[in-house]
Amino acid sequence: MSKKTKATLAEIIARKKQGEMDKLSVKYYDSEVLGTSIEVRKIPLKKFMSLVEDMEDEGDAVEGLDSMNKLIFEVCPMFREDTKEAMEIYGVKEPTDLPSAILEEQMNEMKDIVEIANTFYGLDKIEADIKKG
């Protein structure tokens, strides 16, 4: 049995402040379709969970695609830049439809970006444990 140390509130606050600096978690996805890296950023957990819940609740593939688009739109700043121009060029009505349009509807790339987003919250570890068990 390992001995746990008790942290004071001051120590927890100091860790939290350090965590604020670490909070800007960023990873990159190398898109073959675009021939460049796409920045993927951590978003607040509450917002992430709401988007993931929407994905899990979607019954058909079209609704699932909408949910993936929304999540990717939120975690990848690139899709929120110059949205009006991009919407015109790609012929989409909603800004959240840009990820699938820009990624040429390559579900494998979209799925990879969602998996990178999952790693910010430890969901990749949970899925690995479930597969092992």
Side-chain angles (χ1 to χ4, degrees):
M1 192 181 220
S2 65
K3 186 178 178 186
K4 303 243 180 192
T5 59
K6 290 185 180 179
T8 65
L9 187 54
E11 290 169 337
I12 292 170
I13 291 169
R15 276 194 242 147
K16 172 75 174 154
K17 286 180 181 175
Q18 176 62 41
E20 295 298 324
M21 293 189 302
D22 296 339
K23 190 185 269 186
L24 188 63
S25 296
V26 178
K27 293 184 181 181
Y28 294 90
Y29 173 71
D30 292 324
S31 171
E32 288 182 27
V33 170
L34 301 179
T36 189
S37 292
I38 298 173
E39 183 178 294
V40 183
R41 289 182 173 252
K42 183 177 183 179
I43 59 175
L45 178 61
K46 197 171 191 175
K47 187 173 202 173
F48 175 79
M49 291 307 293
S50 172
L51 291 164
V52 168
E53 217 170 85
D54 288 347
M55 253 195 292
E56 291 172 352
D57 290 344
E58 303 301 339
D60 66 29
V62 174
E63 290 174 338
L65 176 62
D66 288 344
S67 296
M68 280 180 82
N69 266 328
K70 287 176 186 171
L71 177 62
I72 293 169
F73 184 82
E74 290 298 327
V75 300
C76 299
M78 171 184 103
F79 297 114
R80 296 189 307 273
E81 298 167 5
D82 304 317
T83 52
K84 285 184 181 174
E85 183 181 2
M87 286 168 62
E88 268 181 50
I89 291 169
Y90 285 95
V92 297
K93 291 184 171 103
E94 297 293 326
T96 53
D97 290 338
L98 285 170
S100 62
I102 292 171
L103 293 169
E104 300 175 2
E105 299 178 343
Q106 292 297 311
M107 291 298 288
N108 59 330
E109 293 216 354
M110 295 176 70
K111 185 175 160 278
D112 290 346
I113 293 170
V114 169
E115 286 176 5
I116 289 171
N118 288 344
T119 66
F120 291 128
Y121 310 95
L123 292 179
D124 57 324
K125 294 179 182 109
I126 292 170
E127 288 173 11
D129 287 347
I130 290 170
K131 287 178 185 174
K132 283 181 198 170

